[in-house]
Structure formats: C-alpha cells, structure tokens
Amino acid sequence: MRVLVVDDERLARKELISLLGQNDNIEILGEAPNVDEAKEKIESLQPDVVFLDIQMPEKTGFDLLEELDFVPLVVFITAYDEFALQAFQVNALDYLLKPIEPDRLTETLKKLEKKLEELKKEEAQEVDLPKDKLSLNDQVFVKDGDKCWFVKLANVRLFESDGNYIKVYFEKNKPMIHKSLNALDERLDEKSFFRASRKHIINLSWVESIEPWFNGGLVVTLKGGERIEVSRRQAARFKDLMSL
C-alpha cells in the first residue's frame, strides 16, 4: 500500500507516519505540508492512498481534490468533527479525528486493503492504458457549491460543455466543473468515451439506442434518457466503434 500524508502540521504528519510505519505492508512515499506540494507529489508518485488533512492554510483538502485529474483513495484527517458529514458526502473511504487512535487507524487500514484488492481485480480485467489516460475504474472528484462527490467514471454517462464549464451527468446529479471539454477529451480512454460533438462526450457503455438523423448524423439515446446528436463528421467513426 503506497501512501502519501498531507497535513500542514509537521508534528501531526510525523505522528501519523510513525503509526503507519508499524505496518510492514505500507510504503510511505512522502509527505506534503500544503495543497500545491501535495498535487505535485500525487501526480508524480501516483500513491494508492492519500491521508489528507481538510483544514490547511490558503487551500483546503477539498481544494486539492478539485485540482486533481487522477484521484487516489482518500482518508480525511482533521481535528474538527464538524467536517465529518461533508467528508462522507463525498464518499471518502474513511475519516479520522486527531489525535489519531491506533485502533481506529487499524480499522481504516483494513478498509483500505479490502478496497485495493477490489480495484486490482477490476484493473486486471482492463486492457493496459497509458498512465495519463483515465479508465472506467478511475474516480474523479466533483465539487459544485457546497456539494462534493467522488465519482467512478463508469457511472458518468455524459459530459456536456456549458461555456467554460462541464456538466457531469451521473445518477440524478448534474454538477458543473470548471474545465474545458477538449482538455477532458484528451484524458479519457477513447475506447470507453466518445466525443459525439463539440458539446458532448458520451460513455459508450451507457448507449441504449442509435437512430439515423438529418444530413447523415445520428441520435444516440442514453440509458439515463438523454438524446445526444452525433455530428455527421463523427457518425462514421461512432458506427465503427459500436459495431462488431
């Protein structure tokens, strides 16, 4: 289990690293005192797990997650239990209050081991992708106002451009993120996601039906009920992807 510890308090980092170091199956990749340094280390080291302090100067733990493309498993650590509800609303794997109790940490590590085993089985079923590509099993962090989510890409059926933002469709939610559709398109696995038009990227596993449309285009109906036009230029490529 490859771990990164992010906390602005040096003693808190050292205490947690000492507790984690008592476990033979844990490799401490490093530590970071702030969001900017944490982002660099997460992108370069790609840890399995980040133990993340919520309240830090200038930028919070939630700000860090919002800036990441690749989001590892996250365990929040904080001295303020008022953040507990918000942390679980974003589906963090667990939540630890400072000072961290060894028995409570042991429970968290058991959850992490179980989750990592599940992820390994899922990854074994996938064709190898370049490291910079996001697959259906990757999760992204989405923050819209006071609401936050960790979302598995397999559950996102549609990305829709709206000005300088992207609307993310999953379950009954449609939050907005500040990102360009072009930048997102470059990161997604092209075998799973398709750029239907200037405004839309669709998850191919959510396609329910396909109909001919005007001027050689197509209309795709997703399992969520959305009807998306595929431009004439993209229609031929789309047919190739969806045919045997």
Side-chain angles (χ1 to χ4, degrees), residues 2 19 32 52 55 57 66 72 84 94 108 119 121 125 147 172 175 179 189-190 193 206 214 242:
R2 302 166 70 251
L19 289 171
L52 178 61
Q55 287 297 95
E66 196 172 6
D94 210 344
T108 297
L119 291 174
K121 290 178 181 178
Q125 298 172 357
K147 293 185 178 180
K172 295 182 179 180
K179 188 182 287 285
D189 172 21
E190 59 272 13
F193 293 90
W206 279 82
F214 298 111
M242 299 302 290

Side-chain angles (χ1 to χ4, degrees), residues 25-36:
N25 65 332
I26 291 178
E27 177 186 359
I28 307 295
L29 296 180
E31 56 187 281
N34 56 56
V35 166
D36 292 338

Side-chain angles (χ1 to χ4, degrees), residues 34-36 38-39 52-69 76 86 141 143 145 148:
N34 56 56
V35 166
D36 292 338
K39 182 183 178 184
L52 178 61
D53 188 16
I54 295 178
Q55 287 297 95
M56 292 183 285
E58 297 181 6
K59 295 181 181 179
T60 69
F62 293 120
D63 292 328
L64 169 62
L65 296 175
E66 196 172 6
E67 292 182 15
L68 294 174
D69 288 327
F76 284 117
Q86 187 178 9
F141 179 77
K143 184 175 184 294
C148 310

Side-chain angles (χ1 to χ4, degrees), residues 73 93 110-119:
L73 295 180
L93 191 95
K110 288 179 180 178
K111 289 182 183 179
L112 286 168
E113 288 174 357
K114 182 178 179 182
K115 185 64 176 178
L116 287 170
E117 282 299 317
E118 292 174 1
L119 291 174

